[in-house]
């Protein structure tokens, strides 16, 4: 089965506070921290655009900086729908619940904007039946709480019931679907590196540069 791009939309989850990545996130929100010289959010949106031009970002913490960045890059990279979460961040499932009217019957491809997972999402949607949840996992052939998820594609039937309230996809959807035999896994052959702490963020940059310099020689380095 070939998935029609018009039947897909993509969401980059970017509403987290980035507390574990301090002091870096005192200067900029986590989704705008670069890996290999490119902001994590731009890398996430690039992965989504490999399968659909319709993309959205949810924002809460440091939302103004992310909104300004998205607006500045829209002319070159294409429009991005912004989903503002107030007064609180809604988590991975709640984010999709808030975006139901925008998704409007389409399947949703989901990535985390704080995860470095270079590659195209074409294999994730290739041959997808349009009815089952499908996850791209690194190093696992089945879903676990500790699985490294590069991306997920959620059929509309799984998105429609989600409420716009704080909740997670693992708890609200994926775990139940796996138990009921309604979840498929495809292997992700590249790295899937969480950038949530300074050590993990440095590891992602060193991997992206092949062990080369992780700090641009022209960068201003400040003691925070």
């Amino acid at each position: 089965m070939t998935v029609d791009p018009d039947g897909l939309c993509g969401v980059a989850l970017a509403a987290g506070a980035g507390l574990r990545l301090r002091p870096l996130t005192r200067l900029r929100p986590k989704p705008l921290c670069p890996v290999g010289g490119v902001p994590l959010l731009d890398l996430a949106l690039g992965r989504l655009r490999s399968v659909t031009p319709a993309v959205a970002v949810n924002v809460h913490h440091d939302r103004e900086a992310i909104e300004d960045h998205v607006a500045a890059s829209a002319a070159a990279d294409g429009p991005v729908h912004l989903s503002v979460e107030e007064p609180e961040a809604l988590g991975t499932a709640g984010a999709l619940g808030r975006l139901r009217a925008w998704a409007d019957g389409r399947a949703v491809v989901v990535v985390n904007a704080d995860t470095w997972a270079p590659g195209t999402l074409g294999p994730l949607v290739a041959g997808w039946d349009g009815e089952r949840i499908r996850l791209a996992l690194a190093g696992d052939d089945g879903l676990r709480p500790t699985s490294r998820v590069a991306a997920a594609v959620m059929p509309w039937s799984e998105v429609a019931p989600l409420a716009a309230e704080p909740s997670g996809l693992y708890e609200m959807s994926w775990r139940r679907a796996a138990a009921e035999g309604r979840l498929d896994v495809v292997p992700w052959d590249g790295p899937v590196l969480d950038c949530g702490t300074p050590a993990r963020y440095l590891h992602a940059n060193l991997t992206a540069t092949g062990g080369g310099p992780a700090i641009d020689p022209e960068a201003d380095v400040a003691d925070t």
Side-chain angles (χ1 to χ4, degrees):
M1 174 180 176
T2 301
V3 178
D4 182 357
D6 291 336
L8 288 175
C9 57
V11 175
L13 299 170
L19 297 179
R20 295 180 302 142
L21 193 54
R22 287 181 176 175
L24 297 176
T25 48
R26 292 195 180 111
L27 301 175
R28 66 178 66 192
K30 180 168 58 173
L32 299 187
C33 290
V35 170
V38 182
L40 281 162
L41 178 59
D42 293 354
L43 295 171
L45 290 171
R47 294 197 299 279
L48 292 172
R49 288 183 172 121
S50 69
V51 293
T52 176
V55 294
V57 173
N58 69 324
V59 292
H60 177 70
H61 294 282
D62 293 321
R63 53 171 283 202
E64 294 84 1
I66 296 175
E67 289 170 349
D68 290 346
H69 178 83
V70 167
S73 62
D77 300 325
V80 175
H81 177 81
L82 286 168
S83 177
V84 177
E85 297 181 358
E86 295 292 354
E88 60 184 338
L90 298 176
T92 56
L96 299 194
R98 191 171 185 87
L99 281 161
R100 281 180 303 173
W102 173 78
D104 192 23
R106 294 175 291 185
V108 181
V109 183
V110 187
V111 299
N112 284 313
D114 64 353
T115 298
W116 184 67
T120 176
L121 299 183
L124 175 67
V125 300
W128 181 52
D129 65 4
E131 298 178 359
R132 298 165 62 85
I133 297 172
R134 182 182 275 194
L135 306 182
L137 302 184
D140 279 327
D141 57 5
L143 178 67
R144 299 170 178 82
T146 57
S147 292
R148 292 178 293 148
V149 182
V153 58
M154 304 277 295
W156 173 249
S157 61
E158 286 287 332
V159 175
L162 297 176
E165 58 189 31
S167 52
L169 283 171
Y170 179 85
E171 295 78 13
M172 299 300 296
S173 176
W174 296 352
R175 181 172 57 190
R176 183 181 68 254
E180 296 173 354
R182 297 184 294 103
L183 184 146
D184 297 327
V185 168
V186 296
W188 184 267
D189 295 329
V192 178
L193 301 180
D194 167 43
C195 296
T197 68
R200 291 175 178 177
Y201 176 62
L202 176 60
H203 178 49
N205 269 284
L206 291 173
T207 303
T209 62
I215 300 175
D216 191 305
E218 303 298 322
D220 291 327
V221 179
D223 183 1
T224 59

